[in-house]
Amino acid sequence: MSNEPLESIKDIQELSSRKIAVLLVDDQRIVAEGVRRMLEPEQDIEFYYCGDPSNAIKMAIENDISIILQDLVMPDVDGFTLLRFYRANVNTKDIPVIVLSSREDPKIKSDAFNNGANDYLVKLPDKIELIARIRAHSRSYMARMERDAAFYALREMQKQLEETNKKLEKLSHQDGLTGLANRRSFDEALERECKRAHRDGHELSLLMIDIDHFKLYNDTYGHQAGDDCIKYVANVLSDTANRPADVAARYGGEEFSVILPSTPIEGAKTVAEKIRASVEEANIEHTASPDYDQVTISVGIASLTPDDGICAKDLISMSDKALYCSKEQGRNRVSSNR
């Protein structure tokens, strides 16, 4: 029986219901016939014979063997060496092995156990005793395999649950259309970054961005085109505000925000202008716009320094006012609170 992990409850159930698979490794066919006849009446036991010890491990793996009966004296391969091979192979290392020896010798018994044997019988053993020991060792082996499979299945379920929870957690902080941070995630991030800015003495900037005349665009070109426009602007934000600490978010509808930690006002203006220019250069048609014949954005910037003493709410209000200024001055521009 392979030691590859079982991956489902069905695998575990199949394991518990399968027959005992016995592999006899012995170069004497007369011994094999004797053992076969002993086991033949037992409906829960399947018998396999290997007369060539060099094929023993291969046969054990291919036939999902649950117990090996192993002769010690064979031509070409020493039985003790073969025992060590079983234990060194990942697929056979746990399969119980009953050594069949022609001698009742304490020294040979000791060597057999030291080399990995689980039991020792003088051949040919009594039928009742042989079957009893086969069943006892096989039951123990299968129970261990079922236990390991159950633990493996449980670990896999826990991993899947953790991965699912991580995905759900990520989704709960993402905007469904754009993949940007959603409003909830934005609020949490801005509050966190404001506290960090005051604590660490760093400047913090916030961009508020609005697609100009978006309602007219949506009414003219349809909701699908409107969604595509929103997604395009979102991609521009992701590509531009791409430092690990930057947070680009969909603030609501056609409005976006970008949190720029450790960024003074001049740096924020550079980022904002790059975003504005990228949208303009895309030359997305907007014939319904009273100002331009293409899609444009307006940007408002607010920035705090550690000694300002302002909070996240203040920063949003300031950037909103700056955005209003951009719109009042003709749109498709960047304005700041200073």
Side-chain angles (χ1 to χ4, degrees), residues 215-328:
K215 186 178 185 306
L216 290 175
Y217 183 89
N218 222 23
D219 292 343
T220 304
Y221 297 97
H223 292 292
Q224 183 58 58
D227 286 349
D228 291 342
C229 180
I230 286 173
K231 286 191 284 188
Y232 178 79
V233 173
N235 288 336
V236 171
L237 299 185
S238 296
D239 292 342
T240 308
N242 55 15
R243 297 179 306 172
D246 295 343
V247 178
R250 187 180 180 192
Y251 194 75
E254 72 275 18
E255 194 169 8
F256 301 87
S257 56
V258 179
I259 303 171
L260 299 171
S262 302
T263 305
I265 191 70
E266 292 305 320
K269 286 179 181 178
T270 300
V271 173
E273 180 56 32
K274 187 175 180 181
I275 293 170
R276 187 208 61 76
S278 295
V279 174
E280 184 180 41
E281 289 165 7
N283 202 25
I284 301 170
E285 182 183 279
H286 188 355
T287 57
S289 171
D291 299 314
Y292 302 91
D293 59 358
Q294 65 192 81
V295 171
T296 59
I297 61 171
S298 296
V299 186
I301 308 173
S303 184
L304 66 80
T305 57
D307 56 353
D308 283 337
I310 62 176
C311 62
K313 184 178 179 181
D314 298 325
L315 198 60
I316 293 173
S317 177
M318 291 159 57
S319 59
D320 266 337
K321 288 177 181 177
L323 175 60
Y324 180 77
C325 287
S326 289
K327 292 196 174 285
E328 284 290 297

Side-chain angles (χ1 to χ4, degrees), residues 36-250:
R36 186 192 66 78
R37 290 184 181 183
M38 291 183 192
L39 302 182
E40 188 176 32
E42 309 305 315
Q43 295 187 358
D44 63 331
I45 296 177
E46 293 179 336
F47 177 71
Y48 298 87
Y49 172 59
C50 177
D52 181 359
S54 65
N55 290 328
I57 290 179
K58 180 182 177 183
M59 282 192 66
I61 295 171
E62 289 178 348
N63 296 287
D64 281 339
I65 295 302
S66 48
I67 188 164
I68 297 172
L69 306 180
Q70 169 70 55
D71 186 24
L72 279 183
V73 181
M74 293 175 290
D76 300 326
V77 178
D78 175 64
F80 294 129
T81 300
L82 194 52
L83 281 171
R84 292 194 294 272
F85 284 166
Y86 294 144
R87 298 308 176 226
N89 188 293
V90 67
N91 293 300
T92 58
K93 64 185 181 67
D94 295 320
I95 298 176
V97 179
I98 299 177
V99 165
L100 298 179
S101 175
S102 57
R103 298 172 58 190
E104 181 71 53
D105 186 321
K107 175 65 169 61
I108 296 176
K109 276 188 182 182
S110 176
D111 289 343
F113 287 122
N114 287 336
N115 282 280
N118 298 84
D119 208 340
Y120 186 99
L121 290 173
V122 175
K123 61 182 180 184
L124 282 172
D126 175 77
K127 174 181 176 178
I128 295 176
E129 182 179 12
L130 176 63
I131 292 173
R133 296 200 186 196
I134 285 174
R135 285 199 173 116
H137 286 295
S138 296
R139 278 197 299 268
S140 176
Y141 172 64
M142 288 182 175
R144 185 169 63 252
M145 292 292 288
E146 289 176 31
R147 179 204 63 199
D148 292 347
F151 283 150
Y152 178 83
L154 180 60
R155 285 197 301 270
E156 288 303 300
M157 289 172 63
Q158 288 173 332
K159 286 180 184 177
Q160 291 173 11
L161 181 60
E162 289 172 2
E163 289 172 2
T164 300
N165 287 337
K166 286 178 182 178
K167 289 178 182 177
L168 289 173
E169 177 67 18
K170 185 177 180 181
L171 287 173
S172 72
H173 286 78
Q174 266 188 342
D175 173 62
L177 178 63
T178 64
L180 298 180
N182 59 20
R183 178 63 182 273
R184 170 192 168 190
S185 183
F186 165 78
D187 289 339
E188 292 174 354
L190 185 60
E191 190 68 36
R192 182 174 63 249
E193 292 302 335
C194 280
K195 291 178 180 177
R196 180 178 289 127
H198 287 301
R199 183 182 66 243
D200 298 342
H202 295 156
E203 291 185 86
L204 172 67
S205 292
L206 176 66
L207 312 184
M208 294 299 286
I209 302 162
D210 189 73
I211 302 176
D212 296 325
H213 300 298
F214 181 76
K215 186 178 185 306
L216 290 175
Y217 183 89
N218 222 23
D219 292 343
T220 304
Y221 297 97
H223 292 292
Q224 183 58 58
D227 286 349
D228 291 342
C229 180
I230 286 173
K231 286 191 284 188
Y232 178 79
V233 173
N235 288 336
V236 171
L237 299 185
S238 296
D239 292 342
T240 308
N242 55 15
R243 297 179 306 172
D246 295 343
V247 178
R250 187 180 180 192

